[in-house]
Every structure is written in C-alpha cells, then in structure tokens.
Amino acid sequence: MSESSRDTAEGAGWGAVEGGKYRELMPGRVEKLSWLNPKTLRAARNGVLASWFGDPTGRTRSRWVQEREAAGAPADKVIRRDDPDRFSFMVLGDTGEGDDPQYAVVPGFLKMGQDTRFAVIASDVIYPVGATADYGTKFFRPYQDYRAPIYAIPGNHDWYEDLYGFMRVFCDAPPLAPDPAPRPPLSARLRSLLWHHPGAQDEQRLAEARALRSAPAQQAVQPGPYWAIDAGPLRIVGIDTGLLGTIDAEQGRWLRKVSRGPRPKILITGSPLYVDGEHHPCPIEGGGTVDDIVRDPDHHYVAAIGGDIHNYQRYPVRVDGRTIQYVVSGGGGAFMHATHIIPRVSIANVGEEDFRCYPLRGDSLAFYSRLYGRRLRLRRFFTFTEAEAIAVIAERLGIPPTRAQGTPAARVTWRTRLVASLLGAGGRPDRTSRFRLPVRKIYTQLFSPSSATYSPPFFKSFLRLDVTPEALRLRCFAATGNRREELDPPVEDEVTIPLL
C-alpha cells in the first residue's frame, strides 16, 4: 500500500516527478471553468434569486416526481437490486467541472472500483448549471470505463436549470409541461423574469454522449431525484436538498416512511449534516430536520454522507450509545474547498483526536499559499513550505503536527502567522477573535470558489464501501493527479461500522 499524506509529504503528492496518465482520458479541448467569470456567475444566479424571492424547488420537484410516477416509476421510489450479502460500491461527490481535477480522479476510481456493483454521485454532477449539453465531457466521457450503474442525487448546481439535465440523464424523463398553477404572486413573477431557464435540449448530442456508457451492465433508471436503494443487507437513502439545502414536506414524509424499520441505512445527501466543525441538521418544510430522522434509533442509520463541500471530513458522533459516522465526501472533481479554515473541532463530543479530514489542514494551507502567491505576484511572501504550513496550523489549533516531517520542525514566524490569518486558517474555539471570523467568512465566500488549479497535487478523493451482513468498511482514497497515486491510490481514512 502506498504512503498517504499522513505518512509523508511525498504521499500527499508534493514533489512528484511523474505526472498522471489522466490527461489521456480528457478531450482535446477543455473549457477552464472560472467562478470569477461574470458569465458563469450570471448563469448560476438562481440560488441567489431563490433566497430573495422564494424557493420554487419544492413545487418543481413535486412535478418531476408526479411525471415519473405517471410513467411507471415505483411510488415508494425504492430501487430493489439483487446484490449479495457481501458487495462493494463507490461514492463520489461534486464531480463535474470537466477539467484536470475531475479527470485526475478517474484512474484511481476505476482501479478501486473494478469489482464494485454500482456507484453513487452525491451532489453537483454537472457544473456550473447542470446543463444537458455538458454531460458528454463531464459525466459520460470520464466514467465510460466504469462497468456498473451510476446513481446520483442532485446538488444545487444541478438545479440551476430546473433539474432538466439531471432528470433527462438519470431518470430518462422528458421536459416538464408548462406549469398549470394559477397566477403566482408578484414575488414569484419577478423571480421568473430574472430566472435562468433551461436551454434547448440537443437530443442528438445527448445520444452521442450516452453511447459512451451504453453497455447493458452500465444502465440504471432512477425513480426520481430522491430514492432509496435496497442492496444486500443495506438500504441507501438519497435525498435531494435542492437549491438552498432544505427538503420539502412531500419529500420529508417519504423520508420518514422509507427510514422505518431495523434494516441498516446510509443517508446520501447534497448538504452534509456536519461540516467545517458545525452542525447543519437540514430543516424539513413543516417541521423537524433530516438529522432528527437519522438520529432516531428505530431507523438504524449508521452513516450520513454529504457532498457540496469539496473535500473529505468525518465526524464519529455518539448518539444514544451508538456511533453515527457523519461524512463529507465532495472531493470528486471540483475545485478544492480549503480544510485549513476548519477550527479546532469540538462538537457533539467529537474532538480533534476523532476528527479526520483530507487534505490535511497543513497541506491545504500550503496549497492555497502557493496559489495566491502566484495570483498576487507575492510568491516570496505568501508561499509556505509544507513544514511551515503544518507548524503554523499546529500552533493555531494547539495540536501536535499532523505528519511526521523527518526533518526539524519549521519555525513559526510573524510572516507565517500573518499569511495564515489572511488565508482564513482556523484556530481554537476559545481564542476566536473578532478579526478572524470576518476574514474566514470573506475567504470562504469570495476567494475559495475561484480557486481552481490545473497542476498536481489536486487533493481529490473518493470513497469505497465494502458491505457484509456484520459490518461496513468505509475507505477514503486520495487522487493527487500524480502517476504514483494513480497506480496505487493511498488510503487517507478508514473506519469499520458495525451493522448489527
């Protein structure tokens, strides 16, 4: 087994001498997606409009579900598979930017997924707006050699064109008919005037893309944007959290119903319930939260895996004498959300000794220091070595260095402290300053979303889950974009979850 980032800097992908073969999988021309491009931001405006004028996601989702049921989809939305009691499946999150970081995941994903029964994409299949036209290079092409079905739940970006592309590809659903609802209120009419609506559907282009994953073993049709999969001894429940990270009352009633019973369950959601040291229980229209359902001992959830945030995190939370693993798995291809902004973890009785993340906070800080050193033309001032980044994170969080360096620890200086603050590095909860919180908020909302990069290490990740009647083994594998990690993907985290 190859070294991981917890072992050495080389295991993290720093200083590699041989680039990966992933570029051979990419199309000849790749559009570089920039979140600072006004054209991109304009197309992705529906989330802001929904927060200002009301969120139409619930009604649109309900209409999609009704259309699918009328076409013969099961009313309970359960996909019943014939998997044995012992099987494996893959999970990817936030995949579809269509550039180097996404394709860099593919070789390791194919290697570790070659004997798995299916895969699940957890949130944001296609960036920036879930357009049908983008599925060729951002879904069908990268995963054409994965020989099993791929199921998915939509993220907020898939909703930016009212879920048209997602429903066409994963549910084989035709476009919705015009909404027969009575004349909407003024706020809804204003929202509709400003709304980004789906473009024209090019069926020929989609058919050509589908041909890349046309083998019978690769086919699967979902009953809708939310569903459950009965696979071996396990039930996997996927929920659609729409544009704003909530679910409507209709889906809430379904979730409560499909969660009943002693069968072990995993939740897959587009909005993680624990992330960046905070709890986000996900409200349900009409009352209650998704996490209330997950925590109910009668429902027997053992894990909740969410996308949306582009890294890996795990919080083992004790609930009524049992442990539920809350996981963030959004490292499947989009730009990297920083982990160095995560403060010292102390939530729900989960501390630093139990918390896991990838990339490690020090690697994340070194990555962003180099990125912004280049962009601001201040490389000598901004850029950290990996040892400097680990040292300043250890000081700010009051924890031992995450990785043994093999060399004397770097000295923390006024420069490294200042740059770490400017880059939003987290700290201890008891030492949060008035200055740090605004910097962290500005950093996460403005700087981080523009931080695509096109040279290794990318710090991407994916999950493999091995199921037996007794236990579930969850492993997080790294994808750096370097050849070494393609040939032997390192395990960045591993946990065995009892099912009995």
Side-chain angles (χ1 to χ4, degrees), residues 481-496:
N482 293 318
R483 179 64 171 161
R484 180 178 54 231
E485 285 77 44
E486 287 183 348
L487 294 172
D488 188 11
V491 178
E492 289 294 335
D493 186 33
E494 178 174 353
V495 62
T496 298

Side-chain angles (χ1 to χ4, degrees), residues 1-13 358 360 403 478 490-493:
M1 182 180 296
S2 63
E3 296 175 327
S4 74
S5 68
R6 293 182 175 273
D7 300 318
T8 65
E10 291 75 18
Y358 177 77
L360 300 178
R403 178 168 65 227
V491 178
E492 289 294 335
D493 186 33

Side-chain angles (χ1 to χ4, degrees), residues 35 37-46 49 129 194-196:
W35 291 102
N37 186 330
K39 182 179 178 181
T40 302
L41 295 176
R42 182 176 180 276
R45 64 186 179 272
N46 287 357
L49 294 175
V129 295
L194 300 173
W195 200 253
H196 172 78

Side-chain angles (χ1 to χ4, degrees), residues 163-398:
L163 218 60
Y164 272 61
F166 182 96
M167 293 298 296
R168 188 74 184 91
V169 169
F170 291 102
C171 305
D172 201 21
L176 285 174
D179 191 347
R183 183 175 176 82
L186 177 61
S187 60
R189 296 201 300 273
L190 180 58
R191 180 187 63 214
S192 182
L193 288 174
L194 300 173
W195 200 253
H196 172 78
H197 294 282
Q201 309 296 302
D202 188 336
E203 289 295 329
Q204 180 178 350
R205 182 175 179 178
L206 180 58
E208 293 171 353
R210 283 186 184 275
L212 296 172
R213 279 185 52 83
S214 58
Q218 295 175 311
Q219 305 311 302
V221 178
Q222 297 178 189
Y226 57 92
W227 40 258
I229 298 174
D230 282 349
L234 191 68
R235 171 167 282 187
I236 304 162
V237 180
I239 61 172
D240 169 19
T241 56
L243 281 170
L244 301 181
T246 62
I247 67 173
D248 59 279
E250 179 182 319
Q251 185 181 181
R253 288 190 293 271
W254 170 85
L255 178 60
R256 291 184 175 96
K257 184 176 181 180
V258 82
S259 297
R260 294 172 188 157
R263 187 172 192 161
K265 300 175 186 72
I266 293 177
L267 182 76
I268 306 287
T269 169
S271 300
L273 304 182
Y274 281 87
V275 60
D276 293 348
E278 299 173 347
H279 184 208
H280 299 273
C282 187
I284 299 173
E285 181 186 15
T289 69
V290 169
D291 202 27
D292 292 338
I293 297 172
V294 170
R295 287 167 174 259
D296 189 325
D298 292 336
H299 296 159
H300 201 179
Y301 277 92
V302 298
I305 302 173
D308 189 51
I309 302 302
H310 306 167
N311 52 48
Y312 172 82
Q313 301 174 42
R314 181 170 64 84
Y315 302 80
V317 178
R318 295 286 294 173
V319 179
D320 297 327
R322 60 201 172 93
T323 299
I324 301 175
Q325 299 289 342
Y326 290 87
V327 176
V328 179
S329 181
F335 68 88
M336 187 191 87
H337 275 132
T339 58
H340 65 263
I341 65 169
I342 303 172
R344 179 176 175 131
V345 171
S346 179
I347 187 170
N349 294 319
V350 178
E352 278 293 323
E353 65 278 8
D354 304 310
F355 170 69
R356 294 291 182 272
C357 69
Y358 177 77
L360 300 178
R361 291 181 179 100
D363 288 327
S364 171
L365 182 59
F367 175 96
Y368 275 91
S369 75
R370 298 178 188 202
L371 180 68
Y372 282 99
R374 291 194 303 270
R375 290 188 174 183
L376 299 175
R377 301 178 185 273
L378 293 170
R379 296 193 187 195
R380 292 185 63 184
F381 182 75
F382 258 84
T383 301
F384 289 157
T385 65
E386 301 87 64
E388 286 177 326
I390 288 175
V392 73
I393 287 291
E395 180 189 80
R396 291 176 72 88
L397 271 62

